[in-house]
Amino acid sequence: MSVQPKFVLAFTATFILALTLLMFPVQAKADREHGPGTLRSVALLDGPRGLDALGRGKTLVSEADGSFSLVVEHRRAEATVVPLGSVPADFSPAVARGRDGTVYILTGGAPPDAPSAPGSATLYAWHSGDLAPAAVADIAAYQATDPDPDDLEGLPADSNPFGLAPLRDGSVLVADAAGNDLLRVFEDGTIVTVARLAPRTVEVPAGLPGAGTMIPSEAVATSVTVGKDGDYYVGELRGYPATPGTSQVWRIEKGSIDATCDPEAPRGGACTRLADGLTSIVDLASDKRRNIYAVSLSTMSWLAVENGVAGSEVGALWRIGRARGHGHDRDDGHRAPTITELLAGQLILPGGADAVDDTLYLTGPVFGPGGLSKVALKHR
């Protein structure tokens, strides 16, 4: 394993089996308890991650084999899972619908030491009636021409697209976890760099070589959502040593090109820091009340999961709301947002989240048997 991994989510078969044994009791509890703040199961899926809640009981999802489907809920019967298509992938791709009904699917990149697999690091588009999704843009090819200036691994042209968000004009935002940047892909396949996420100096956690020392760590941009204000929000995983509490959420002004998200200057320019202190963010969502939701793969960090640390399979969901009343000011003089954990202890390796109307949908676990779940949102 690289000393500074871009985004590593590979587990041994034994560890996946151990997690599987933990998943079912949690899901069973969610099925029995339908009280406020408790997840309700919608449909069972295999390694789900990609998610787009369309409203009126319809939700786009993706699974570990690269397939994407429409889950349709019914009042008095189990939800129906309608297969739509698939893309070449061995990990659940990101998926989202554009305003014109186009479904976009985004595949991840190949490991740095492996040859590029057909269809990897590619944005696809699918329309109802299509026999198969069509490639829109080769993200890896673009990143080869736009290397990461802050790369710490000696792989500045590496690419691992992980999150996407369609825009109203038909273009699509793509968060590249290996490129540490946010891209914008236009309908003709043209790509521009919206923003770059700079590394951050973090403390090596206990239990790792060099514990207590400060080292630079890459941002690892995994997720993007468009807020009610039209701006772009990007979440970080945090590279090695995956120090808990060092993942940030950035707000990037809509229409930006070549912005810089700098933890040393988080309030300047077109990219400003919305929230700090989170851990291993893998997805973001927004709601109509201007809240942003951040999904943590693990409260202990992705590296703790990879190392098989007991309890590291428990993830988290955070609501990032506007500052209210006489909240604490940050050191930079700006009002800090309110950050609240929801569904504490109920999420096992969550993969995705999306909000529609007053309902929040989630997918997970991202490895092995999992499903689509939902919870009613409560607003103050």
Side-chain angles (χ1 to χ4, degrees):
M1 183 175 64
S2 171
V3 174
Q4 294 283 349
K6 294 281 190 176
F7 186 70
V8 184
L9 284 175
F11 301 87
T12 65
T14 301
F15 186 47
I16 292 175
L17 177 60
L19 287 176
T20 300
L21 295 176
L22 289 169
M23 293 167 192
F24 288 110
V26 172
Q27 184 63 53
K29 179 179 179 181
D31 287 344
R32 289 197 304 268
E33 299 178 6
H34 297 324
T38 300
L39 277 175
R40 300 183 64 173
S41 177
V42 175
L44 299 179
L45 302 166
D46 181 24
R49 183 178 74 89
L51 169 63
D52 188 0
L54 308 180
R56 298 187 176 182
K58 297 180 180 180
T59 308
L60 281 172
V61 296
S62 66
E63 299 181 71
D65 61 357
S67 63
F68 58 99
S69 306
L70 181 68
V71 176
V72 182
E73 298 174 62
H74 307 288
R75 287 182 179 273
R76 295 179 177 84
E78 293 184 359
T80 303
V81 180
V82 183
L84 300 178
S86 65
V87 294
D90 55 7
F91 180 69
S92 180
V95 63
R97 188 184 70 172
R99 285 180 58 84
D100 63 352
T102 302
V103 175
Y104 294 98
I105 310 100
L106 180 68
T107 58
D113 56 352
S116 179
S120 65
T122 298
L123 176 67
Y124 291 88
W126 178 89
H127 304 85
S128 179
D130 287 353
L131 295 178
V136 175
D138 184 334
I139 307 300
Y142 173 77
Q143 295 291 44
T145 70
D146 187 49
D148 178 7
D150 297 310
D151 173 72
L152 299 176
E153 294 188 88
L155 297 167
D158 196 16
S159 177
N160 184 17
F162 202 77
L164 84 166
L167 297 176
R168 293 184 177 182
D169 67 351
S171 61
V172 180
L173 298 173
V174 171
D176 194 315
N180 297 306
D181 55 8
L182 179 67
L183 310 177
R184 186 174 181 180
V185 182
F186 292 90
E187 292 182 278
D188 63 357
T190 301
I191 304 176
V192 298
T193 299
V194 174
R196 303 180 190 278
L197 280 63
R200 184 179 201 180
T201 300
V202 302
E203 182 177 349
V204 179
L208 295 178
T213 60
M214 304 297 290
I215 66 172
S217 174
E218 294 189 2
V220 188
T222 54
S223 42
V224 58
T225 190
V226 180
K228 182 70 173 177
D229 54 13
D231 287 340
Y232 317 147
Y233 294 81
V234 177
E236 302 175 332
L237 185 80
R238 182 58 54 208
Y240 184 89
T243 306
T246 62
S247 291
Q248 305 162 108
V249 177
W250 296 95
R251 177 180 179 178
I252 302 166
E253 294 178 6
K254 56 187 174 183
S256 294
I257 296 178
D258 289 329
T260 298
C261 303
D262 185 357
E264 297 299 319
R267 303 304 304 178
C271 181
T272 57
R273 186 164 61 201
L274 174 71
D276 196 0
L278 303 179
T279 302
S280 296
I281 299 172
V282 289
D283 200 18
L284 294 180
S286 60
D287 69 16
K288 60 186 180 182
R289 290 177 171 81
R290 298 178 181 267
N291 295 305
I292 301 295
Y293 298 87
V295 177
S296 293
L297 177 74
S298 165
T299 58
M300 294 185 182
S301 84
W302 62 266
L303 186 57
V305 175
E306 203 172 74
N307 290 338
V309 177
S312 62
E313 72 280 355
V314 179
L317 173 69
W318 305 92
R319 182 178 61 208
I320 305 168
R322 291 171 294 175
R324 300 174 184 273
H326 302 286
H328 296 291
D329 286 334
R330 294 188 290 215
D331 292 339
D332 58 18
H334 291 79
R335 184 72 66 183
T338 58
I339 302 178
T340 306
E341 183 176 9
L342 308 178
L343 304 170
Q346 295 188 47
L347 304 180
I348 301 297
L349 293 179
D354 197 23
V356 62
D357 300 325
D358 289 315
T359 303
L360 186 74
Y361 287 82
L362 297 110
T363 52
V366 293
F367 295 98
L372 173 68
S373 301
K374 68 179 181 179
V375 64
L377 290 172
K378 291 184 175 181
H379 301 285
R380 290 180 293 175

